[in-house]
Amino acid sequence: MDANILVVDDESEIADLVTVYLRGEGFTVFPCGTGTQALEIVNREHIDLAVLDIMLPDISGTTLCAEIRRTHQFPILMLTAKSEDTDKIAGLTVGADDYMTKPFSPLELVARVKAQLRRYTSYNGGERREGEELNIHGLTINRSTHQCWLYDELLNLTPIEFDILWLLCANQGKVISAEELFETVWGEKYLDRNNTVMVHIRRLREKLREPGRDPKFIKTVWGVGYKVE
């Protein structure tokens, strides 16, 4: 798999370790230690995926993630030294696709990088089934083009957001649990206290301009899951 990967971590030992493992898989890696350097690389090179540490010496990883998301939709994997949900939720809220807590297994990181790249490649021109389009209350989502329109506005969705919305729309009227959403979209085992799905649903609702108390598209069925009516 050929891809350009940005690795941002001010701990040189970790950055070097991640770089060695990723290059061993054939990836081109751009390592750096600050958010400023990272933005320079993003603006100069074609990046396919970024691995960002939360704690950086100049700006936070979440700020860097938000800045990247202003103009780019490639996958972003966050690294955090803390196990608390706050750092994870902060990263997911500003546009990260996945996260890992330090210390982590380099082999697991490589596996997650590959999984995100497979999804991103599919999103941007891989094999797709033609003619798959759903229309629900002014929302049009097309799986063959991976585009989503709200009335006349093209929504800027990440691959993960698109996959979640497609799964819900394709099962219109059926309640999908957070566990099923996570295991279908992320392809990993769902663990208790995993807020990943909740945060992505929140981001989707914001992009759909959903009212907080009575969302039009994505409904919460408390204690069960989510559905599109």
Side-chain angles (χ1 to χ4, degrees):
M1 184 181 294
D2 184 23
N4 294 336
I5 307 215
L6 173 67
V7 175
V8 190
D9 198 313
D10 64 330
E11 296 183 63
S12 58
E13 296 85 355
I14 294 178
D16 292 345
L17 180 65
V18 171
T19 297
V20 166
Y21 271 84
L22 290 174
R23 285 178 176 167
E25 295 293 326
F27 297 117
T28 300
V29 184
F30 297 87
C32 64
T34 69
T36 301
Q37 292 173 329
L39 289 174
E40 290 175 355
I41 293 172
V42 168
N43 291 328
R44 185 179 71 242
E45 306 289 344
H46 173 79
I47 298 298
D48 298 295
L49 180 143
V51 179
L52 311 181
D53 187 27
I54 288 281
M55 302 297 292
L56 296 173
D58 51 351
I59 61 176
S60 71
T62 52
T63 300
L64 175 58
C65 179
E67 186 65 25
I68 291 174
R69 273 289 174 258
R70 292 175 59 186
T71 52
H72 296 82
Q73 292 301 318
F74 55 73
I76 296 176
L77 191 156
M78 304 292 292
L79 301 178
T80 171
K82 301 177 181 179
S83 59
E84 289 85 353
D85 287 339
T86 51
D87 276 347
K88 301 170 185 176
I89 292 174
L92 294 170
T93 300
V94 296
D97 297 282
D98 200 359
Y99 59 83
M100 294 187 69
T101 302
K102 297 179 182 178
F104 55 84
S105 163
L107 292 176
E108 182 183 354
L109 184 142
V110 169
R112 292 199 183 197
V113 164
K114 288 182 176 180
Q116 290 293 336
L117 285 173
R118 282 194 296 269
R119 180 180 289 112
Y120 185 59
T121 300
S122 174
Y123 181 90
N124 285 279
E127 295 184 3
R128 298 171 185 153
R129 291 171 286 176
E130 295 298 324
E132 293 190 3
E133 183 171 287
L134 301 171
N135 296 277
I136 302 172
H137 309 309
L139 177 70
T140 300
I141 181 168
N142 189 303
R143 197 173 188 181
S144 65
T145 63
H146 270 251
Q147 289 183 322
C148 182
W149 297 80
L150 180 60
Y151 304 111
D152 294 326
E153 178 186 356
L154 178 63
L155 301 182
N156 188 21
L157 303 183
T158 67
I160 289 268
E161 292 166 351
F162 183 94
D163 286 348
I164 291 173
L165 188 58
W166 175 266
L167 182 59
L168 290 172
C169 289
N171 291 277
Q172 184 180 2
K174 176 184 175 183
V175 180
I176 308 293
S177 69
E179 178 179 358
E180 183 179 349
L181 275 169
F182 186 85
E183 294 186 352
T184 301
V185 173
W186 276 266
E188 299 178 16
K189 183 67 177 176
Y190 181 84
L191 301 176
D192 290 339
R193 299 183 68 252
N194 189 330
N195 294 307
T196 305
V197 171
M198 178 189 69
V199 174
H200 279 82
I201 291 290
R202 184 193 307 160
R203 279 169 42 193
L204 267 173
R205 284 172 170 163
E206 290 173 355
K207 293 185 178 183
L208 291 167
R209 298 194 296 275
E210 294 267 56
R213 292 183 176 276
D214 185 25
K216 178 180 178 182
F217 296 105
I218 302 176
K219 305 282 189 179
T220 299
V221 180
W222 295 107
V224 183
Y226 304 93
K227 70 174 179 177
V228 169
E229 292 185 331

